[in-house]
Amino acid sequence: MINIYTDGACRGNQNTFNMGGWGFVLTDKATGKARHCWGHEANTTNNRMEMTAAIKALHAIRNRSRSEVTVYSDSNLMVKGMTEWLSGWKAKGWKNSGKKPVENKDLWVQLEELSALHNVTWQHVKGHNGNAGNELADQLANRGADGQQGKQDFVGGM
Amino acid sequence: MINIYTDGACRGNQNTFNMGGWGFVLTDKATGKARHCWGHEANTTNNRMEMTAAIKALHAIRNRSRSEVTVYSDSNLMVKGMTEWLSGWKAKGWKNSGKKPVENKDLWVQLEELSALHNVTWQHVKGHNGNAGNELADQLANRGADGQQGKQDFVGGM
RNA sequence: GGACACCUCCUAUA
DNA sequence: TATAGGAGGTGTCC
């Protein structure tokens, strides 16, 4: 049983330079160990940061044997995307309900590939609801958005 | 040289009560003056409001001597209608390509009559693309749709 | 099938 | 207030 809390943040807006941050908290019930990572990226969007957080977390366990994984995120977009919309997008050539191209296809594809390696449950949580894991992931993401040097290049297994 | 930006809005849908708004911005290069007007109408459609916005604007200059006028709209329907389809509709007894009656004939007729008084150029602009004139017309139309009292009864020349 | 609009709703971010 | 993203839908034309 692996629990992952993810969060993304993004400072600034539109055409002006902005800075995004992502963070995740990963706890392994079996080993009792936890680890947290964060990073940042320039000129991005809040939604890309939310997705990137999950990609980084899943990437961290890509070499593990197939496990029960639960990803908690306050991004309704990501949770609904992975659980309800993804199959439809692929069937319709990555077009959304308005017949326009789905945004951030590159990240959706990565999420699908990485989540296929385990039995992943996607769970939506309300942001800032006192949930300890979500609060910590939020802090990590903001640490990234603030430009603090994180473990962006984290690639190892646990 | 008169430039006109128009936009329409319509809140709600189908069988329930809805409220539409129209707005235009009219700038006269010669005098350097600008004016903006808006209004609202109940139980209408988005397309009727787009057309109404242009009708109100052209009506405002109906008594002016023949002028060069450019109407900017994000309604592909109205721009194509006035520049490409109108002559065909009249030749075919106001039937569209599907042999069904053209909708909103009353407004198309008004647009044709009013635009015949000047040398009107119809120009399509993408909505919400940072175009200042279009943005302002959008705000005026929404002001109308929100039910704010506008200059619905505007009839005067400039 | 294509195009341009117009909404209703949901979540996050600043 | 605004942007970034998604689901539904209608209004209209070709």
Side-chain angles (χ1 to χ4, degrees), chain B residues 81-138:
Chain B
M82 293 307 293
T83 57
E84 298 180 20
W85 304 330
L86 183 59
S87 58
W89 291 337
K90 290 195 292 184
K92 293 188 297 181
W94 290 94
K95 294 291 191 297
N96 65 24
S97 70
K99 283 156 186 161
K100 314 251 280 190
V102 172
E103 297 290 326
N104 306 318
K105 175 185 169 186
D106 56 332
L107 301 183
W108 290 115
V109 168
Q110 289 182 61
L111 279 175
E112 189 188 24
E113 285 178 4
L114 289 166
S115 62
L117 303 176
H118 299 280
N119 297 326
V120 177
T121 301
W122 298 88
Q123 185 68 49
H124 177 71
V125 294
K126 277 290 276 186
H128 312 109
N129 238 22
N131 182 298
N134 179 260
E135 300 285 344
L136 180 50
D138 180 74

Side-chain angles (χ1 to χ4, degrees), chain A residues 71-92:
Chain A
V71 179
Y72 298 89
S73 169
D74 58 19
S75 169
N76 200 45
L77 177 65
M78 183 170 69
V79 173
K80 291 270 198 177
M82 292 307 292
T83 57
E84 298 181 19
W85 304 330
L86 184 59
S87 57
W89 291 337
K90 290 195 291 183
K92 293 187 296 182

Side-chain angles (χ1 to χ4, degrees), chain A residues 110-121:
Chain A
Q110 290 182 62
L111 280 175
E112 189 188 23
E113 285 178 4
L114 290 167
S115 61
L117 303 176
H118 298 280
N119 297 327
V120 177
T121 301

Side-chain angles (χ1 to χ4, degrees), chain A residues 7 18 28 31 39 88 107 115 120 141 143 149:
Chain A
D7 198 29
N18 73 41
D28 188 336
T31 67
L107 301 183
S115 61
V120 177
R143 203 178 292 187
Q149 190 65 14

